[in-house]
Each structure stands twice: as structure tokens, then as C-alpha cells.
Amino acid sequence: GRASPPLAALSQVMRLERSRRTAIVFPLQKLERYLVPGTDTARFRLFQPGLAALQRAEALFRSDRGHPIDYVSSAVRMDHAPPPALPEVCFIGRSNVGKSSLIRALFSLAPEVEVRVSKTPGHTKKMNFFKVGKYFTLVDMPGYGYRAPQDFVEMVEAYLQERHNLKRTLLLVDGVVGLQKTDNIAIEMLEEFGIPYVMVLTKIDRASRGVLLKNVLEIQEFVKNNTQGCFPQLFLVSSVEFSGVHLLRCFVAHVTGNLRAVKAS
Ligand code: GDP
């Protein structure tokens, strides 16, 4: 298999000096010092696990013979989806938002997992199911474009309505461009069906600090004023630098019921 990239494992991150380590593990906290004094940052720290919880989560994402992590199957229709046997999370977002890169980063300690991408225009988009041992499944949903094709809406709608083992939807937003009009397609669906979800800001290594702050604050305001089902803490990730990836592994482990006690750090 491929070698894991640097900082894919917590043990590598722990060797960094403190401020760099915080930036990788808790990227949102790193931004706090640049906010206007008085900004409400309580929502920045709702999910703030300690090292032990981060390590237990990482173990789930590390495959071995007794704990296989596999691509299971693809489906274009719900009757082709694998049985809903395990708690599940799904990843949804605009095409090019960095969804496959993020899933690859999450699974980087299981290098045999192949995260397929079907980007050929005109090709039928599929839901890809991954199984993480006997603990949970992760679904890569098709990306949506500036015109959400009807088959996308139908597929995702059916999935969100029918999938009773779905514990959380992760809605990816591009950290460079922020929330876009097309993201409302997904947000409206999630809100309408009352599906719990959380927003994940991608490619944060590519955004300047100013742009990142603007997008973070805009999204937090949006979530506060316009949503019911969205977790108030935004997750920031870079699949290149691995910032936020460890925390997101921990959040996924937590929402799928595989990490009961998450002690704060
Ligand atoms: P998808 O269509 O949502 O699956 O998006 P991809 O994962 O294929 O990413 C789209 C483009 O953004 C690719 O060129 C990636 O290399 C790039 N990209 C994805 N994630 C990151 C990131 O965290 N940082 C940077 N700098 N580029 C990224």
C-alpha cells in the first residue's frame, strides 16, 4: 500500500511544538486570537476532546487484520444500498469542494482503501459506501453542481428520508469561496427532513487568514439565524496539511456511538 502522509497520525502531530500542534488538531481555536474581543466563541469549543479520545478515534480509522476498513459498494438507487446494519455518516457537498480528498485523508491510516472518484461529466453519480470494521459506515454522496440535476436531488432525497441508521450528515463548504447559493439545495433538504448535520469548511490551507475568518463568521451567523438541525460548531479541515482531520475522525467516532465519554481537553 501507499505510505501514510506526514501528520496523518496523532503520534506525528504530538512531536510538533505546541502552537503548531494546536493549529493542526484544533484549527478553529487557532483563529480565535484574531477575532474582535467580545466575539462569542463558546460555539468554537462544544466538541473539544482530549488526547485519549482522539487516540481512541484514530484507532477506529487504522485498519488491521481484525479490523478491516473497506469500500463496500456503490449505489445509484436506495434498493441497491447495503443493508442499514451499522450507524452511518454521509458526506455531501458541491463538486470540487474537496470531498474525496477529505475522505482519503480520514482513511489515510488504511491505505488499502480506495476512494474512487467518478467525475466524468455525464456519468451517473453514485453513492459510495465504506465500512469501518464492525463500527460504522461512511457514505460519499454525489457532488452537486450549479445546476443540481434532478437525479441528484432524487437520489439524495431518497437516501436522507429512508436511511434510518444515518446519524449525521457532514456538509462540506469550500473554505476559499464560503457558502454558495447552491449549498442551499443541500441545506434546505436537510432542514426540511430534520436531519442532523454539521458544516465542514475545506481547503483551509488555501485561504488567507482574512478570507477564512470572514467565511467562518458568516457561516456561524448563518447557522445561528437560519438553521435548526445544524451543529453550531463549524469544523475546519485541510486534507493537505491534515489540520482538523484528527478532530473530525473523533467527531465521526462520537456521533456513530463509538466513543461514549469524550472528556474535554
Ligand atoms: P471533490 O469533487 O469534492 O471530491 O473534490 P476533490 O477532493 O477532488 O478536490 C478538488 C480539488 O481541490 C483538487 O484539485 C484537490 O487537490 C483540491 N483540494 C482538495 N482538498 C484540498 C485541501 O485541503 N487543500 C488544498 N490546497 N487543496 C485541496
Side-chain angles (χ1 to χ4, degrees):
R2 284 170 281 137
S4 326
L7 304 184
L10 276 167
S11 58
Q12 297 163 308
V13 179
M14 295 322 284
R15 280 185 222 125
L16 303 171
E17 53 94 12
R18 192 189 173 83
S19 91
R20 178 104 179 90
R21 204 165 63 207
T22 306
I24 298 290
V25 181
F26 300 110
L28 192 53
Q29 270 177 44
K30 186 74 187 171
L31 280 183
E32 268 185 36
R33 72 172 74 166
Y34 304 104
L35 294 172
V36 182
T39 308
D40 175 18
T41 57
R43 284 170 293 157
F44 282 30
R45 294 166 181 265
L46 294 172
F47 184 75
Q48 192 181 330
L51 182 59
L54 290 163
Q55 281 167 334
R56 273 185 288 142
E58 178 172 295
L60 287 175
F61 282 87
R62 190 185 289 282
S63 61
D64 61 39
R65 259 188 304 164
H67 176 57
I69 301 178
D70 293 318
Y71 160 80
V72 188
S73 63
S74 294
V76 286
R77 297 203 325 251
M78 280 310 286
D79 49 344
H80 295 163
L86 295 173
E88 190 159 279
V89 291
C90 81
F91 286 66
I92 184 170
R94 293 193 310 135
S95 314
N96 233 35
V97 73
K99 189 158 50 62
S100 27
S101 303
L102 178 59
I103 295 173
R104 228 176 270 125
L106 290 167
F107 285 145
S108 55
L109 301 173
E112 70 281 9
V113 176
E114 225 188 288
V115 181
R116 293 150 191 236
V117 276
S118 67
K119 286 194 173 162
T120 332
H123 259 221
T124 312
K125 293 175 174 170
K126 293 174 176 164
M127 309 179 259
N128 298 311
F129 292 81
F130 299 89
K131 191 171 172 209
V132 178
K134 52 185 192 305
Y135 299 100
F136 63 91
T137 43
L138 186 156
V139 189
D140 179 9
M141 297 300 276
Y144 45 89
Y146 71 104
R147 293 178 307 168
Q150 198 51 32
D151 58 347
F152 165 85
V153 174
E154 278 165 15
M155 191 192 309
V156 176
E157 234 172 34
Y159 171 85
L160 293 175
Q161 280 184 308
E162 290 173 31
R163 203 68 176 166
H164 295 300
N165 58 331
L166 178 62
K167 299 299 176 191
R168 198 73 59 135
T169 295
L170 292 92
L171 173 60
L172 275 51
V173 177
D174 192 312
V176 180
V177 299
L179 264 186
Q180 301 287 296
K181 274 204 202 101
T182 43
D183 291 317
N184 286 322
I185 298 164
I187 293 169
E188 279 165 18
M189 253 193 248
L190 292 161
E191 290 286 329
E192 185 189 333
F193 302 150
I195 308 280
Y197 63 106
V198 60
M199 290 202 204
V200 177
L201 205 60
T202 61
K203 307 182 193 176
I204 63 164
D205 62 283
R206 215 191 247 176
S208 69
R209 186 184 298 139
V211 165
L212 199 54
L213 276 169
K214 174 180 156 284
N215 288 335
V216 166
L217 293 174
E218 264 177 25
I219 292 172
Q220 297 232 327
E221 272 311 291
F222 177 88
V223 169
K224 192 174 172 181
N225 299 326
N226 303 288
T227 70
Q228 296 283 330
C230 187
F231 188 64
Q233 180 177 334
L234 179 61
F235 285 79
L236 272 53
V237 296
S238 162
S239 306
V240 173
E241 296 182 344
F242 270 82
S243 20
V245 171
H246 306 87
L247 187 62
L248 200 60
R249 282 182 186 141
C250 197
F251 189 70
V252 167
H254 177 60
V255 297
T256 54
N258 288 299
L259 206 66
R260 290 254 139 69
V262 180
K263 250 203 356 238
S265 62

